[in-house]
């Protein structure tokens, strides 16, 4: 994740896709680190304007990720959306009206 944030900042990427479909367990330590390090860097140092998150298969991880993103939303000044498939996220990046596809 550190490398991904660095690339997003250096390349001034406007879109961020996080594919959590097959992700592992999100630990308490992961949540703390994301809240203290990752989220502020994305919010204040990057050029991200839209973030798409592909939902994990594991329901427990999905709930944790949703909670983390709810907390992050308070400092993000850009759109964030959850998707079941990354292909729909790509469409959303290209066309804001595509939210009707959800």
């Amino acid at each position: 994740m550190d490398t991904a944030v660095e690339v997003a900042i250096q390349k001034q990427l406007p879109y961020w896709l996080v594919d959590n479909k097959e992700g592992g367990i999100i630990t308490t330590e992961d949540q703390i680190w994301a809240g203290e390090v990752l989220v502020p860097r994305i919010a204040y140092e990057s050029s991200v304007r839209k973030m798409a998150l592909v939902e994990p298969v594991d329901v427990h991880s999905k709930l944790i990720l949703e909670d983390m993103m709810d907390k992050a939303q308070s400092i993000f000044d850009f759109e964030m959306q959850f998707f079941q498939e990354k292909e729909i996220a790509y469409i959303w990046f290209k066309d804001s009206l595509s939210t009707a596809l959800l």
Side-chain angles (χ1 to χ4, degrees), residues 26-81:
I26 301 171
T27 66
T28 302
E29 291 81 16
D30 293 334
Q31 295 172 56
I32 292 168
W33 174 81
E36 293 177 355
V37 177
L38 183 68
V39 169
R41 291 206 64 209
I42 295 168
Y44 303 125
E45 297 178 37
S46 79
S47 299
V48 172
R49 298 279 74 31
K50 281 187 166 184
M51 180 183 287
L53 298 114
V54 179
E55 298 175 344
V57 174
D58 176 68
V59 175
H60 184 259
S61 294
K62 178 182 174 185
L63 293 172
I64 291 171
L65 185 61
E66 287 174 352
D67 182 58
M68 290 171 60
M69 290 302 101
D70 283 345
K71 291 174 184 169
Q73 189 65 51
S74 66
I75 66 169
F76 286 159
D77 66 347
F78 53 80
E79 294 180 78
M80 232 177 15
Q81 183 73 41

Side-chain angles (χ1 to χ4, degrees), residues 1 16 35 39 59 63 84-85 96:
M1 290 304 297
W16 183 295
V39 169
V59 175
L63 293 172
Q84 291 183 355
E85 301 295 332
S96 293

Side-chain angles (χ1 to χ4, degrees), residues 1-13 16 41:
M1 290 304 297
D2 282 327
T3 301
V5 171
E6 285 301 320
V7 169
I9 292 168
Q10 291 174 4
K11 301 288 185 180
Q12 298 181 354
L13 301 178
W16 183 295
R41 291 206 64 209

